[in-house]
Amino acid sequence: YGRGPLQLTWNYNYGAAGNSIGFDGLNSPESVASDPVLAFKTALWFWITNVRPVISQGFGATIRAINGAVECDGKQPALVQARINYYTDYCTQLSVDPGTNLSC
């Protein structure tokens, strides 16, 4: 299950994060929940590895990078729309253009 500020999930993420950051992610995933420094390191690792490369492709690409396996391709349309609504509301409050490609 998800742990940390960016909810790291799935063994393949724990293993890769552990190899990159230097902890035993496969055998000790709970350390992400119990160590606040490690929790933020894994969140930054996930963001830099998976999300940053697709930011220029629009908000929909970031949804896919973070939760695509669970939400995209018609799996959770109401949840995706709620994310888009929050995002566009924040963009309005900050007076920034939300861009195109808002859905995954």
Side-chain angles (χ1 to χ4, degrees):
Y1 59 90
R3 297 171 180 93
L6 195 53
Q7 295 291 292
L8 193 67
T9 55
W10 311 111
N11 283 346
Y12 58 84
N13 282 321
Y14 282 103
N19 288 337
S20 179
I21 297 168
F23 76 102
D24 190 354
L26 289 177
N27 294 311
S28 245
E30 69 282 351
S31 60
V32 175
S34 63
D35 181 340
V37 172
L38 183 59
F40 276 91
K41 284 182 178 181
T42 59
L44 290 170
W45 169 84
F46 186 86
W47 185 268
I48 290 168
T49 303
N50 297 289
V51 182
R52 184 175 171 257
V54 301
I55 286 178
S56 64
Q57 298 171 23
F59 185 67
T62 66
I63 295 172
R64 183 173 296 283
I66 296 170
N67 282 334
V70 177
E71 296 178 12
C72 295
D73 302 320
K75 294 174 187 155
Q76 294 283 337
L79 189 54
V80 171
Q81 189 58 53
R83 287 187 191 284
I84 294 167
N85 293 345
Y86 283 123
Y87 175 71
T88 55
D89 184 48
Y90 293 140
C91 288
T92 299
Q93 291 178 46
L94 297 169
S95 298
V96 297
D97 179 7
T100 59
N101 188 25
L102 297 180
S103 188
C104 59

